[in-house]
Amino acid sequence: MTSDEEDVAAILGGDADRFERIVGRYKGPLMQLAMRFTGDRSTAEEMAHVAFVSCYRALGTWQRKSAFSTWLFSIALNVYRSHLRRAQPSIPLDEELPSQTSLEETISEQQEAAIVRRAVAFLPAKYRDPLVTFYFLDADLAETAAILRLPESTVKTRLRRGRHLLAQRLERQLTRGKR
Amino acid sequence: MIDPERIEAALRRRSDVEPSPFFERRVMNEIRAEAPAPLAFPWRQLAAAVMAGAGAVTLGVRLFPADSFAAAAILVCAASLAAVERVVSLRA
């Protein structure tokens, strides 16, 4: 039995305090996942908070068909997506972004990742969600499709188009940076 | 053209963002306020009830061959009521 399974069993047995261990283990990843959808730190934190509470409420429905982390991330993804349907993503102000930086210039890997993350946050949701799920969660095609409740063929197409759109947008940024 | 591999690597890279220090406490305060703990959904009981229902139908057909449909319906209703009662009492 994994530590996640042990904790879930204890919580379902009535020990709600054991949920603190789950929060401790996953607060970082859930916060980082939220930052892929919104650049605003406090919004990301609020989203992660709601995701944990939703997870606690739904804990009894986890059927152990998938890893606990996969199940938790799929709950968080739904929370984040529904949050963003009501609000537009904001520009990540708390990440150190070089202004008008080109990807060809020498910039740190962290800055490069921040630029890409910002571009992803502004993609249409149908491309953003598969990209985030596939790459951030390191999920394979089948897992991504299961989490997003889409056919694998649709996920495959959206990943391809999403990557293309992302490259186009980054290219535009690159061109602007050169002017 | 930007190297697609660089984009993919950037997409996979995780940042070191962590929530604020009191995040855990805030979440746990809400969780404790939500107590009692959520109950495990009684999958086993539900499966047992379904199997009992299926058994009842078979038995009903054997016992009352002349009016097997009515007998089966009565037995299924009884089994379903017992299952619902069991689920409700578990979640109460």
Side-chain angles (χ1 to χ4, degrees):
Chain A
M1 208 185 236
T2 64
S3 47
D4 285 336
E5 286 173 346
E6 281 172 7
D7 289 337
V8 171
I11 295 160
L12 293 175
D15 185 3
D17 286 343
R18 283 287 281 269
F19 195 71
E20 197 162 3
R21 293 195 194 188
I22 292 177
V23 178
R25 262 197 302 278
Y26 291 105
K27 63 180 179 180
L30 246 58
M31 179 79 181
Q32 289 163 29
L33 181 62
M35 289 292 283
R36 302 267 165 143
F37 289 90
T38 176
D40 181 56
R41 224 189 136 86
S42 65
T43 308
E45 199 165 309
E46 187 191 318
M47 284 158 61
H49 182 130
V50 175
F52 275 121
V53 175
S54 303
C55 162
Y56 177 78
R57 286 179 186 150
L59 216 48
T61 64
W62 176 45
Q63 291 183 57
R64 294 162 177 79
K65 282 180 187 166
S66 56
F68 176 77
S69 56
T70 308
W71 180 77
L72 172 64
F73 283 132
S74 69
I75 287 181
L77 271 171
N78 284 331
V79 168
Y80 299 168
R81 288 159 75 197
S82 68
H83 178 91
L84 288 177
R85 272 196 287 273
R86 298 189 299 269
Q88 286 296 309
S90 53
I91 296 168
L93 296 171
D94 57 343
E95 294 189 81
E96 283 187 19
L97 289 178
S99 58
Q100 300 295 320
T101 308
S102 106
L103 283 176
E104 283 179 349
E105 289 169 13
T106 311
I107 55 172
S108 75
E109 283 190 347
Q110 278 188 339
Q111 285 176 326
E112 185 177 293
I115 291 168
V116 173
R117 278 200 295 272
R118 181 169 70 167
V120 170
F122 282 94
L123 284 177
K126 65 185 220 176
Y127 301 123
R128 178 201 62 206
D129 296 347
L131 281 174
V132 170
T133 310
F134 188 79
Y135 289 107
F136 179 82
L137 301 186
D138 212 11
D140 61 22
L141 207 56
E143 283 171 333
T144 308
I147 289 171
L148 297 175
R149 292 180 191 152
L150 289 169
E152 277 188 39
S153 56
T154 308
V155 171
K156 203 171 174 180
T157 308
R158 289 185 184 179
L159 278 172
R160 195 182 64 241
R161 289 186 186 158
R163 278 189 296 252
H164 184 69
L165 192 60
L166 185 62
Q168 273 184 341
R169 290 189 176 186
L170 289 169
E171 193 77 42
R172 267 208 298 272
Q173 187 175 350
L174 186 82
T175 316
R176 273 207 307 269
K178 277 181 180 170
R179 280 183 203 150
Chain B
M1 187 71 188
I2 300 165
D3 181 4
E5 283 186 11
R6 278 178 70 186
I7 296 178
E8 290 194 13
L11 282 168
R12 284 186 206 280
R13 198 169 299 126
R14 295 198 175 194
S15 58
D16 50 4
V17 180
E18 287 280 331
S20 56
F22 298 111
F23 177 80
E24 270 173 89
R25 190 184 295 177
R26 279 200 304 275
V27 172
M28 286 313 293
N29 283 345
E30 190 165 340
I31 296 300
R32 286 183 189 112
E34 288 243 339
L39 280 166
F41 192 82
W43 299 107
R44 281 184 194 165
Q45 285 83 354
L46 210 58
V50 170
M51 285 172 70
V57 171
T58 313
L59 194 66
V61 170
R62 293 227 172 141
L63 289 177
F64 308 102
D67 195 4
S68 57
F69 180 77
I74 291 166
L75 286 168
V76 167
C77 283
S80 304
L81 278 173
V84 168
E85 192 276 332
R86 175 81 180 129
V87 170
V88 169
S89 67
L90 270 171
R91 296 194 76 78

